Amino acid sequence: LPILRRVTQRLHEAAAPDESGPLVDLLFAHDSTIFPFVALLDVLDLGTDPQSSRAGHLCPFSSRATIALRRSGTIAITYNGVKVREFLPDSDADGGGLVAWDRAYAEALDVDLAAKCRATTGTGAAA
């Protein structure tokens, strides 16, 4: 979740009307981080049966996920060089593909990670 939040924040900064956002923003991570991030983006079919899951084959060494905000407002996700998802600008709303991005990942972005950790470890009630 922290990576999704960071990527979403940077997409919004890059799309700012004053164009002060980054032209290129690079984040590097181990495959054990890339795979859950790609799974969270819902761009791979991981299957429903853990025993027959192909998860170990879906994130080979040197895997890469690329998220590009285009001048048109479209957001394209590629995984290992293959376009796997695209968020198109909504003609009825300002904000380009960011509106569709925010809608698609709203549930994940709203997770209170600290509260979940407290609930899992039993270190107190959520604030």
Side-chain angles (χ1 to χ4, degrees):
L1 285 176
I3 293 176
L4 179 61
R5 286 189 179 124
R6 177 71 173 157
V7 168
T8 300
Q9 173 190 356
R10 297 301 280 168
L11 284 170
H12 280 273
E13 290 171 1
D18 63 3
E19 299 181 20
S20 62
L23 294 177
V24 175
D25 198 10
L26 302 174
L27 302 172
F28 295 89
H30 195 272
D31 61 339
S32 61
T33 302
I34 296 289
F35 185 71
F37 177 63
V38 171
L40 182 63
L41 294 177
D42 195 26
V43 296
L44 296 175
D45 180 10
L46 302 178
T48 55
D49 178 17
Q51 298 300 327
S52 63
S53 173
R54 295 182 43 240
H57 301 283
L58 296 174
C59 192
F61 185 70
S62 74
S63 288
R64 66 199 175 285
T66 306
I67 301 167
L69 173 60
R70 309 216 186 281
R71 291 184 199 270
S72 66
T74 298
I75 297 173
I77 301 175
T78 59
Y79 182 62
N80 293 330
V82 177
K83 187 189 304 181
V84 291
R85 192 159 187 189
E86 193 170 53
F87 296 91
L88 301 172
D90 185 343
S91 60
D92 297 330
D94 291 333
L98 283 172
V99 173
W101 173 278
D102 289 341
R103 193 175 326 135
Y105 301 120
E107 185 176 338
L109 290 166
D110 285 341
V111 170
D112 183 344
L113 203 52
K116 286 223 180 258
C117 289
R118 284 191 301 272
T120 301
T121 60
T123 58

